[in-house]
Amino acid sequence: MIWHGRVVEVRDVEGRRQQTSDSPVGWPEDRPGGAPDCVSFGLAAIVGGVWPLFARGDERRATAAKRVRWHGVGLGATAILTLWAQDANDWPLWAVPAIWGPLALLILASTAAFAFGALRGEPDDDAPAPHRPEPQAS
């Protein structure tokens, strides 16, 4: 039997089998490497989804939750791309946390900064400036 261009098992006509050192045994390498990646995306989705339920009527908290959700999408995208790159290039398992870890830390730092900014009420870049009435001369 040939798997990804390698002989992984030898069989004869009588049904006897002998596996080679390249035979797939147990879980593929991307499953334990991908688990922390997908868990982090799920946690960001849960926090961003549940937070507005406890902050009804508070626009700042709703905006912060929205920003957490969108950063969670970024976490998920980097996780999928990292796993894809590791699998496509036949990199070892340690490459997943080595590549994804620093990217995830940057995204999490950005998440915290944007969420705290929303809680403080800092305006968005595309939001119009608040209208302040000018004093009338009498």
Side-chain angles (χ1 to χ4, degrees):
M1 178 179 195
I2 298 176
W3 180 263
H4 291 284
R6 296 184 185 140
V7 176
V8 296
E9 188 175 277
V10 180
R11 297 180 188 168
D12 66 1
V13 180
E14 297 173 5
R16 293 182 292 184
R17 302 167 29 173
Q18 179 181 356
Q19 293 183 346
T20 67
S21 61
D22 291 330
S23 65
V25 178
W27 281 22
E29 283 188 348
D30 62 345
R31 292 230 174 100
D37 301 350
C38 294
V39 166
S40 67
F41 166 66
L43 288 176
I46 289 172
V47 169
V50 173
W51 194 354
L53 297 176
F54 293 108
R56 292 181 186 232
D58 189 353
E59 191 63 34
R60 290 181 180 181
R61 291 183 185 204
T63 303
K66 187 185 325 177
R67 291 180 180 177
V68 169
R69 282 193 306 267
W70 278 110
H71 280 84
V73 170
L75 275 173
T78 55
I80 290 169
L81 291 174
T82 303
L83 291 172
W84 173 75
Q86 186 262 343
D87 185 49
N89 295 309
D90 288 329
W91 292 337
L93 179 60
W94 60 264
V96 173
I99 295 169
W100 183 79
L103 293 173
L105 288 176
L106 289 173
I107 292 171
L108 290 173
S110 176
T111 303
F114 274 87
F116 287 135
L119 291 174
R120 285 192 305 259
E122 295 175 0
D124 294 332
D125 288 340
D126 57 353
H131 177 66
R132 293 187 182 139
E134 294 184 23
Q136 301 267 334
S138 22

